[in-house]
Amino acid sequence: MTGTVGVLALQGSYNEHIAVLRRLGWKGVEVRKPEQLNDLGGLIIPGGESTTMAKLAEYHNLFPALRDFVKTGKPVWGTCAGLIFLADKAVGQKTGGQELVGGLDCTVHRNFFGSQVESFETELSVPELAEREGGQPTFRGVFIRAPAVLEAGPNVQVLASYSFPLSKPSTTDSSVVEEGKVIVAVKQGNLLGTAFHPELTADTRWHSFFLKLLTPNGEEASTSAAGPEKPDRIDLPVFVD
């Protein structure tokens, strides 16, 4: 099943990821139990409410299996809450915190961009994505109660950053957060993390980028991977505590 991608299906936008995988000609399967990780070619941890997802993962005893999967070297992609899961360290958490899978050498602020009403869309500069997947040099980032990477290790490749209003509090003391700028997409070996939701746009380039990590010699994931010039606008889902 090396051509099969698992999508953690505890909560959040897992159906949307599976739909994009289907568009690109790949099989996506829902993962809720440790044994369902066996023989997968890769894994997507979707966006949702990270604390709720962590509690459900703990209930199903998924954390040891998820950590083992990351250590296999198979590609794993975390979007929004999934990025939090993959980070080695998370700040801005609720009382008591939450368990993490880890693997990405970075510190993530769990709710950097604020509450649900502060969710937004913006054009992100993505030169690496455009070079590999074609299409426009920008990507429409959908941020829903999104995290951000505050610190990244030397082996972490920054794929996208976002310039935020200078009034944004308590962020400029980080060693890699320039004044008014924060990291929102990273790659480290087999691990990919995005603070935004590519699955909620019509542009499939991030999925194609991820799928090429599963294929030898970077073979094409799909001829439609570059996506449309102007992705369709869709309504944002509501994720609540």
Side-chain angles (χ1 to χ4, degrees):
M1 292 175 57
T2 56
T4 300
V5 178
V7 183
L8 192 64
L10 300 175
Q11 190 259 354
S13 58
Y14 56 90
N15 281 323
E16 288 82 355
H17 276 292
I18 291 174
V20 178
L21 292 172
R22 187 180 301 119
R23 281 182 60 195
L24 295 176
W26 285 67
K27 181 179 180 181
V29 297
E30 297 179 7
V31 173
R32 295 186 178 89
K33 299 178 181 179
E35 60 268 25
Q36 292 173 323
L37 290 166
N38 296 338
D39 301 321
L40 293 175
L43 177 69
I44 297 174
I45 305 177
E49 209 293 311
S50 62
T51 304
T52 299
M53 289 174 63
K55 289 179 179 178
L56 289 170
E58 185 176 6
Y59 176 80
H60 291 287
N61 195 32
L62 269 164
F63 277 105
L66 289 170
R67 293 189 186 104
D68 288 343
F69 192 90
V70 167
K71 292 175 183 176
T72 66
K74 294 180 180 180
V76 183
W77 176 19
T79 63
C80 197
L83 169 62
I84 299 171
F85 265 53
L86 289 179
D88 283 343
K89 181 180 179 181
V91 299
Q93 300 191 67
K94 295 181 179 180
T95 302
Q98 70 178 67
E99 197 169 353
L100 302 174
V101 174
L104 271 177
D105 183 15
C106 63
T107 299
V108 170
H109 191 294
R110 177 183 173 274
N111 196 22
F112 180 87
F113 292 104
S115 66
Q116 174 74 28
V117 297
E118 294 173 289
S119 299
F120 64 97
E121 298 180 22
T122 189
E123 294 294 331
L124 298 170
S125 175
V126 288
E128 180 74 15
L129 183 70
E131 180 180 349
R132 295 196 184 190
E133 303 300 327
Q136 300 181 72
T138 60
F139 185 91
R140 189 72 176 175
V142 179
F143 291 81
I144 304 173
R145 298 185 60 198
V149 176
L150 300 184
E151 296 181 352
N155 295 321
V156 176
Q157 180 184 7
V158 176
L159 299 177
S161 298
Y162 171 70
S163 297
F164 58 86
L166 293 180
S167 59
K168 185 69 184 176
S170 66
T171 57
T172 56
D173 56 341
S174 171
S175 61
V176 299
V177 177
E178 301 174 6
E179 187 174 4
K181 192 174 183 180
V182 71
I183 299 168
V184 294
V186 293
K187 179 181 179 296
Q188 180 184 350
N190 61 307
L191 303 180
L192 178 66
T194 56
F196 46 93
H197 290 261
E199 77 281 7
L200 299 182
T201 77
D203 189 336
T204 63
R205 288 180 295 167
W206 281 105
H207 286 79
S208 178
F209 182 90
F210 171 69
L211 290 171
K212 285 179 181 175
L213 298 177
L214 284 77
T215 56
N217 303 317
E219 293 174 0
E220 292 296 325
S222 170
T223 56
S224 63
E229 290 187 0
K230 293 185 178 180
D232 297 331
R233 183 185 182 89
I234 61 177
D235 292 333
L236 303 183
V238 177
F239 298 138
V240 296
D241 289 330

